Each structure stands twice: as C-alpha cells, then as structure tokens.
C-alpha cells in the first residue's frame, strides 16, 4: 500500500513527459525511471572505466589528445552523477520549495558539461589538423602547458555562456522535464537559443567540419603519392616509408572522427527540437524527453567507440 501510494504520488506531482493520460501515467513514469536509471549507471560505469584505463596506462599520456579525452571522460562522468538528481526525484518526490532552484542548477550543470564535451571535440580536431599540416613544428606549437590552459579556458567559457539563463534570459536547453516547474514555468527563449547556437553549436560544428575535411584531404594526397612512388620504385624502403607515414595519423583521425560523428548524430535531434520549441513552432513532451536522453546517452557511447575503434 505504501509503495502504490508513493507511485501515485509520483504520477500526481511529477511532470511525466511521455504521459498521455491518467490511466497510464504510472506506467510511463516507471518507464522513464528505468530509462534514466539505466543511462545513469552506464554513463558512470563507462567513464570510470575510461578514467581507470588512462590512470593505469601511462603510455596513453604521450598522445596530446589524451588531455581532451580525459577531460571529456570527467565531464561525462559528472553528467552521469548529475543524472542521479532526476532519478532520485522520480523515485522519491520531495514537495520542496527549492524545486525551481534544483531544476535551474541541474539544467545549467548538464548544459555546461555537454558544452565542455563539444568544445573538447573541436579542440581535438584542431590538434589533429596541426599534427598533420605542421608535423615539424607541432611539438613547439602544442605543449602540455598550452593544453592545460586551453582546457581551463574551455571550462570557463562553458560556465559563462550559460550563465544568463540564471538571470531570467531563457532556458539553457534542458528538455524532457522531470520537474513540474521546469516543464510549466521555465520556458525557452528564441533569442537565448540563437545566442547559444551562434556562440557554441555553430562554431564548434564549423571548426570540426573544416579541420576533418582538410585532414582527410591531406591524408588522401599522401596515400596517392606513396602509391605512385611504390609503382615507380618498388623497393623495401618505399614500403617501409609508406607503412610508417601518415597512415597511423589517418587511422587515429578516423577514430576521433567516429566519436565526433556519433556525438552530432545523437545531439542533432536535440538541437533541432531546441530551436523549434524556442520558436514556438513545436512543443511535444514525448519528443522533448526522447531527444534529451538520446543526447545524454552520448556520454556512454564515447566509451563504446573507444573500445571498438582502437585496441590501445
């Protein structure tokens, strides 16, 4: 009886994004809880594994991109930890005065952490671009000190760009609202959404497209030149040069390109819905919930791509 009354309490007080009626509201809330709990567990376990691997494999630290990959792992781990907030809210709803504050803080933290991941992906693409276009001066351009400064600036920028949402200027982008106040009282703003797109989403996407386009173009040119040399001078020296040339860089770039591609595939529906809802063109609680947690699931997908794409 206590369990059934608590479940009914959940259905009465919580905003269940996928709920379409009173009779199935309890089942929908249970489904939401299962989805969020499962994602929370996978995100925390997967990123703890990544962090543990980097801690136990010092050779991985020789890669400059390891700084950004570890930063992404910590950011995604914090995403999983912060997801405990809606999980606990669904399991035991607290009728508190601080629901609005909890909702704002949760939405802000999630947005900042995913902004860090997006900025790190852009920086990784720039790092690989410099490694391939300027191989002789790369070690002088990219130093551990500069990498640490870059990571600090990423965190500062991500924290600042979503700060206006606390001043009443729009919603930072969290949808699939578990808290009733988030769903009914905290609305998106078209100007703030445009501000986020212009200063975060669009620049990151442009940098990634530009760098990877030139990376694969250069690698293709190098491969063609190596094949031409092999055809003209078939010798062991040319074969050795071809094997130790830019093919490792190309393979490494492909792994990072897969990570970036999956990130944008999972986040694109969320960004599109964010724009449509802010413009008051579309407002669908089911789409809001699905696009939000599809995007958040990327925090676990990175770990799978690491293990499938690169044995190291």
């Amino acid at each position: 009886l206590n369990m059934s009354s608590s479940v009914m309490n959940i259905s009465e007080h919580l905003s269940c994004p996928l709920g379409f009626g009173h009779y199935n509201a309890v089942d929908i809330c249970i489904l939401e809880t299962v989805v969020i709990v499962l994602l929370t567990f996978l995100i925390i376990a997967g990123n703890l594994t990544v962090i543990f691997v980097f801690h136990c494999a010092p050779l991985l630290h020789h890669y400059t991109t390891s700084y950004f990959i570890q930063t992404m792992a910590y950011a995604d781990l914090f995403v999983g930890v912060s997801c405990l907030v809606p999980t606990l809210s669904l399991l035991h709803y607290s009728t508190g005065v601080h629901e609005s504050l909890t909702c704002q803080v949760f939405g802000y933290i999630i947005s900042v952490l995913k902004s860090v991941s997006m900025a790190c992906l852009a920086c990784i693409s720039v790092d690989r671009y410099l490694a391939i276009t300027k191989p002789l001066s790369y070690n002088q351009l990219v130093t551990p000190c500069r990498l640490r400064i870059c990571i600090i600036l990423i965190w500062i920028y991500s924290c600042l760009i979503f700060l206006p949402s606390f001043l009443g200027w729009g919603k930072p982008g969290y949808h699939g609202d578990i808290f009733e106040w988030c769903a009914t009282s905290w609305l998106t703003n078209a100007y703030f959404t445009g501000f986020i797109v212009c200063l975060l989403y669009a620049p990151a996407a442009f940098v990634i497209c530009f760098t990877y386009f030139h990376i694969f173009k250069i690698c293709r040119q190098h491969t063609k030149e190596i094949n031409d040399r092999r055809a003209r001078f078939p010798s062991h020296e040319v074969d050795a040069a071809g094997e130790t040339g830019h093919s490792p860089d190309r393979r490494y770039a492909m792994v990072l390109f897969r990570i970036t591609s999956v990130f944008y595939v999972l986040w694109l529906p969320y960004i599109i819905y964010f724009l449509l809802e802010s413009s008051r063109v579309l407002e669908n609680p089911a789409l809001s919930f699905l696009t939000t947690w599809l995007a958040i699931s990327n925090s676990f997908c990175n770990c799978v791509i690491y293990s499938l794409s690169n044995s190291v």
Side-chain angles (χ1 to χ4, degrees):
L1 288 175
N2 289 335
M3 183 179 294
S4 63
S5 63
S6 63
V7 171
M8 290 303 296
N9 187 44
I10 290 175
S11 65
E12 290 175 3
H13 292 284
L14 288 183
S15 173
C16 295
L18 299 179
F20 298 103
H22 176 74
Y23 294 103
N24 63 346
V26 175
D27 293 335
I28 295 300
C29 281
I30 293 174
L31 176 62
E32 290 177 13
T33 305
V34 171
V35 170
I36 297 173
V37 169
L38 180 62
L39 278 179
T40 302
F41 170 77
L42 291 176
I43 291 170
I44 293 175
N47 287 285
L48 279 177
T49 303
V50 173
I51 293 169
F52 177 76
V53 168
F54 271 98
H55 177 73
C56 296
L59 289 176
L60 291 175
H61 295 281
H62 293 298
Y63 294 96
T64 53
T65 49
S66 67
Y67 288 86
F68 296 114
I69 292 175
Q70 289 182 83
T71 302
M72 287 172 57
Y74 279 107
D76 290 336
L77 175 64
F78 292 143
V79 167
V81 172
S82 62
C83 285
L84 292 173
V85 175
T87 302
L88 295 175
S89 298
L90 282 171
L91 294 175
H92 184 267
Y93 176 70
S94 59
T95 58
V97 183
H98 305 294
E99 183 185 354
S100 60
L101 179 62
T102 304
C103 174
Q104 284 182 312
V105 170
F106 175 71
Y108 176 76
I109 290 175
I110 287 287
S111 300
V112 167
L113 293 174
K114 299 317 296 179
S115 172
V116 169
S117 294
M118 194 174 295
C120 282
L121 289 173
C123 289
I124 286 174
S125 68
V126 173
D127 175 81
R128 291 298 88 201
Y129 177 77
L130 292 175
I132 290 179
T133 58
K134 300 181 182 296
L136 298 179
S137 58
Y138 174 76
N139 290 330
Q140 286 74 36
L141 290 173
V142 182
T143 62
C145 180
R146 289 178 179 176
L147 288 172
R148 293 188 185 99
I149 292 173
C150 182
I151 290 171
I152 291 172
L153 291 176
I154 286 173
W155 281 97
I156 294 174
Y157 183 78
S158 299
C159 290
L160 290 177
I161 195 172
F162 288 101
L163 199 57
S165 63
F166 275 111
L167 303 177
W169 189 32
K171 199 173 184 178
Y174 171 66
H175 300 91
D177 305 302
I178 302 301
F179 304 100
E180 186 177 359
W181 186 88
C182 281
T184 58
S185 303
W186 199 15
L187 303 177
T188 53
N189 183 288
Y191 295 105
F192 182 73
T193 302
F195 171 77
I196 296 298
V197 170
C198 292
L199 292 185
L200 178 62
Y201 296 152
F206 174 78
V207 168
I208 288 169
C209 292
F210 175 84
T211 53
Y212 278 112
F213 172 79
H214 285 84
I215 285 171
F216 291 120
K217 181 181 178 181
I218 293 169
C219 289
R220 199 160 42 243
Q221 290 175 350
H222 289 160
T223 303
K224 183 180 178 181
E225 290 175 3
I226 291 169
N227 291 333
D228 290 342
R229 289 178 184 178
R230 283 177 177 172
R232 291 181 182 180
F233 311 103
S235 65
H236 297 290
E237 294 180 0
V238 176
D239 291 340
E243 290 176 1
T244 59
H246 286 270
S247 56
D249 284 332
R250 190 177 188 279
R251 286 196 298 270
Y252 193 40
M254 278 299 299
V255 174
L256 299 172
F257 180 71
R258 290 190 195 107
I259 294 171
T260 306
S261 300
V262 171
F263 181 92
Y264 278 97
V265 165
L266 294 176
W267 273 82
L268 191 59
Y270 170 83
I271 295 173
I272 292 173
Y273 182 83
F274 186 26
L275 291 169
L276 293 176
E277 186 187 271
S278 301
S279 305
R280 303 295 182 265
V281 175
L282 176 65
E283 189 170 350
N284 188 303
L287 281 177
S288 177
F289 179 85
L290 293 174
T291 55
T292 296
W293 291 98
L294 181 67
I296 291 176
S297 69
N298 175 257
S299 298
F300 167 70
C301 292
N302 286 341
C303 312
V304 178
I305 298 170
Y306 297 148
S307 58
L308 293 179
S309 299
N310 197 331
S311 59
V312 177

